Amino acid sequence: LKGPASTNGPLSLSEVSTAGSVSPDGQPLSISSTFLANTPVIYVTAKIVNAPEDTNVSARWVYVRDDAGKTINQQLSEDSATAKGTRYISFSRQASAGAWGSGQYSVSLLVNGKEMTNTQFTVQPVQKADVPAPTISFFKAVPEAISTGQSVTLSWNVTGATLVQISTIGTVPPVGNVIVTPVNSVEYQLTAKNNAGTTAMKTYITVTSFNTDKPELVITDFRVEGNKAYYKIKNIGGVNAKSSTTFLYIEGTKRSSSLADILPIGEEREQYFPNFEWTYGSSRTFKLPVRICADGLNQIGEYDENNNCLVVDW
């Protein structure tokens, strides 16, 4: 469930799960209550319902007992985030020094400091014969075809790997995404390794270049610094682009606009949205779909009117 919904009715937590991965909106993708000690990240997810604005939700991780039955009761961490309305929320914890201690764990979910629910999971030691080669759930490029100067988001999800690499990029975490701006058509290969073997997956990006007698505006990057939202706009066309208006959309709703001044051929410029403050804190456990569109008012006649927008999850 993406985005806040109605807050009518009592606040509650439901659908509490532990999982090996989650979707961009926080829903569990590989639900389990048993994990191997070499699992890189374990997630706890829940659906919060009818949360008032600025509701604080926290997850308290405790190592309860080891695999010999010895009581430990060691609190490992407590992470928190704010929530509003009805949505999925997730918390994660990475293995310490590359491995979890075998035994039983519990995660308590608290709302505004009060424990609402508790879930438990078990970590089993890795037996050499039980370790399979890494699994690549997906490795994709969005979009797969662009014009020169545009950007692409590579995203991936890998489990069971001790090393994950992407060609020309280098070592990356098991789950993540990165924005690339290839000059020419290119193939990227994701390689995941562990002691049992190597798994690889490829994705291909087609880059079309053109020279025209028209301007061509594209958004090449987006970032947030403090409470300001910045973007880069570039003219990849064959003539100068006159002034235009750039729009910012968050979760499908237009939130702000920015005037882009005359942009000469081949020039790229970073600007920000002057009448907008970014109020989404860095501690949240979900990402927001953001779309930045050049020439939002269609003031400029371009060669391609369908490549003005950059879409990212932030």
Side-chain angles (χ1 to χ4, degrees):
L1 181 67
K2 299 180 75 173
S6 170
T7 56
N8 295 327
L11 184 152
S12 65
L13 282 177
S14 62
E15 301 180 29
V16 180
S17 303
T18 50
S21 60
V22 297
S23 67
D25 63 351
Q27 297 190 54
L29 293 180
S30 48
I31 297 174
S32 179
S33 60
T34 303
F35 302 89
L36 292 176
N38 63 350
T39 302
V41 182
I42 296 176
Y43 296 83
V44 60
T45 70
K47 185 177 182 181
I48 188 165
V49 179
N50 297 325
E53 188 171 1
D54 294 328
T55 296
N56 180 272
V57 184
S58 57
R60 183 179 296 156
W61 301 72
V62 176
Y63 185 16
V64 179
R65 63 180 62 89
D66 63 19
D67 58 354
K70 180 181 177 181
T71 299
I72 306 295
N73 282 337
Q74 176 188 0
Q75 181 172 325
L76 303 176
S77 64
E78 183 167 332
D79 311 311
S80 64
T82 57
K84 176 186 176 183
T86 297
R87 65 164 68 244
Y88 285 92
I89 189 166
S90 66
F91 298 90
S92 64
R93 180 171 173 81
Q94 293 184 333
S96 177
W100 294 82
S102 301
Q104 187 176 21
Y105 293 76
S106 72
V107 184
S108 299
L109 293 180
L110 300 86
V111 176
N112 295 328
K114 179 181 179 181
E115 183 172 336
M116 297 282 286
T117 187
N118 177 282
T119 188
Q120 296 187 344
F121 63 91
T122 301
V123 174
Q124 297 179 340
V126 177
Q127 304 298 326
K128 192 168 185 180
D130 294 335
V131 180
T135 299
I136 302 176
S137 300
F138 63 83
F139 177 46
K140 60 185 179 180
V142 178
E144 295 179 336
I146 60 171
S147 300
T148 303
Q150 290 185 287
S151 297
V152 173
T153 299
L154 297 175
S155 58
W156 62 92
N157 186 301
V158 178
T159 54
T162 56
L163 178 66
V164 182
Q165 295 177 310
I166 298 177
S167 56
T168 75
I169 294 176
T171 302
V172 295
V175 179
N177 60 75
V178 65
I179 295 176
V180 295
T181 309
V183 177
N184 301 305
S185 297
V186 62
E187 180 180 77
Y188 288 95
Q189 176 169 301
L190 175 73
T191 304
K193 300 179 180 180
N194 65 13
N195 291 335
T198 299
T199 307
M201 187 176 290
K202 298 178 180 180
T203 188
Y204 191 81
I205 300 170
T206 301
V207 180
T208 302
S209 60
F210 52 84
N211 294 314
T212 75
D213 57 357
K214 296 181 179 180
E216 193 71 27
L217 293 179
V218 295
I219 302 297
T220 60
D221 193 21
F222 174 80
R223 67 183 181 91
V224 174
E225 184 175 319
N227 62 357
K228 292 188 181 297
Y230 294 83
Y231 67 95
K232 288 183 179 180
I233 184 170
K234 185 174 184 179
N235 179 11
I236 62 173
V239 298
N240 294 346
K242 65 180 183 180
S243 298
S244 62
T245 303
T246 304
F247 287 158
L248 171 67
Y249 297 85
I250 300 176
E251 294 187 300
T253 301
K254 186 170 72 175
R255 300 297 304 276
S256 187
S257 62
S258 169
L259 178 64
D261 206 352
I262 295 172
L263 201 59
I265 301 169
E267 184 171 315
E268 182 179 57
R269 182 186 304 137
E270 184 173 66
Q271 302 193 188
Y272 71 97
F273 293 94
N275 299 316
F276 175 78
E277 288 192 1
W278 186 272
T279 58
Y280 307 96
S282 59
S283 62
R284 57 193 163 87
T285 58
F286 56 91
K287 292 190 175 183
L288 294 168
V290 177
R291 180 161 55 100
I292 312 95
C293 293
D295 192 25
L297 297 176
N298 292 321
Q299 299 161 297
I300 299 175
E302 300 174 87
Y303 176 82
D304 186 352
E305 298 288 354
N306 298 311
N307 65 350
N308 293 129
C309 297
L310 173 67
V311 178
V312 297
D313 288 328
W314 195 270

